[in-house]
């Protein structure tokens, strides 16, 4: 039985004092609640160390929004897997569409990062999804298949236990246009079948596949109760404790 994972991708929002306020708000709102899911927050790098202290003795786990695949060296501006672990990260978002489109990340680069994260015992939240143009020209399944196959190239059966997938249709990110539960489920089911072809049924059935793209308190419950949707990767609505907690309660 897959346990749902709700992750908040803060993107480039919240300075240190705002991060402290948001985490404190989340902690107190979640304190007395019995959670049906795992909760992860992915603040900007500058807040990770402080966040680690704040989430101690809570059910909130910590992730980063990106990393580089090399161990160390002359890679100005980059962050390594070990650095993320040293500030308490357990998860790392990889292949987000904003990394792909704004920063030119390729499937090949993302695949190297996926391998590095797994070997370093960080859980990748590996993102993929089609643009509006790709959907309108009926290429959704081809695009998703290519991104998943290339992003997971060389990842072993046994390593699939330590990876989360996140379907994020680009047209639904930050636009207020959510995929309908049926539209999302169709792609999630397609990906689960693809994982069965690439690995086997048992492995495919065990993989958590999150949905991301304008998840809000008023649409979360329906999305989260589709058979192949195992959680959410939340952008805008995770920046306020109240709306993030409502989404968590939708599990
Ligand atoms: P929004 O929830 O703001 O659409 O962002 C989704 C996302 O990109 C999460 O990674």
């Amino acid at each position: 039985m897959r346990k749902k994972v709700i992750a908040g991708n803060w993107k480039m929002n919240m300075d240190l004092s705002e991060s402290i306020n948001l985490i404190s708000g989340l902690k107190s709102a979640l304190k007395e609640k019995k959670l049906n899911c795992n909760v992860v927050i992915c603040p900007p790098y500058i807040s990770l160390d402080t966040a680690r202290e704040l989430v101690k003795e809570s059910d909130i786990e910590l992730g980063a929004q990106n990393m580089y695949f090399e161990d160390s060296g002359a890679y100005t501006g980059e962050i390594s897997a070990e650095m993320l672990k040293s500030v308490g990260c357990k998860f790392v978002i990889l292949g987000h569409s904003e990394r792909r489109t704004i920063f030119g990340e390729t499937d090949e680069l993302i695949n190297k990062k996926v391998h590095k994260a797994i070997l370093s015992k960080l859980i990748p939240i590996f993102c993929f999804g089609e643009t509006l143009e790709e959907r309108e020209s009926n290429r959704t399944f081809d695009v998703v298949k290519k991104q998943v196959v290339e992003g997971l190239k060389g990842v072993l059966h046994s390593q699939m236990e330590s990876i989360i997938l996140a379907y994020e249709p680009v047209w639904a990110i930050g636009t207020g246009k959510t995929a309908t539960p049926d539209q999302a489920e169709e792609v999630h089911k397609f990906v689960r079948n693809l994982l069965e072809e690439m690995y086997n049924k048992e492995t495919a059935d065990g993989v958590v596949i999150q949905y991301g793209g304008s998840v809000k308190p008023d649409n979360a419950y329906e999305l989260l109760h589709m058979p192949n949707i195992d959680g959410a990767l939340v952008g805008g609505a995770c920046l306020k404790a109240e709306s993030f907690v409502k989404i968590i309660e939708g599990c």
Side-chain angles (χ1 to χ4, degrees), residues 166-169 172-173 188 210-215 231-234:
Y167 169 55
E168 294 209 316
I173 296 178
H188 282 236
Q210 295 177 316
Y211 168 79
S214 298
V215 176
L233 184 54
V234 184

Side-chain angles (χ1 to χ4, degrees), residues 118 123-124 155-164 199 202-203 206-208:
I118 294 173
I123 299 177
V155 176
L156 307 173
H157 274 78
S158 56
Q159 295 175 319
M160 287 304 290
E161 284 172 8
S162 341
I163 183 162
I164 291 175
Y199 297 95
E202 199 190 339
T203 299
V207 176
V208 166

Side-chain angles (χ1 to χ4, degrees), residues 9 11 93 96 98 168 172-175 212-216 233-237:
N9 175 8
K11 308 193 180 185
I93 299 172
H96 192 279
E98 287 147 20
E168 294 209 316
I173 296 178
T175 57
S214 298
V215 176
K216 307 277 179 237
L233 184 54
V234 184

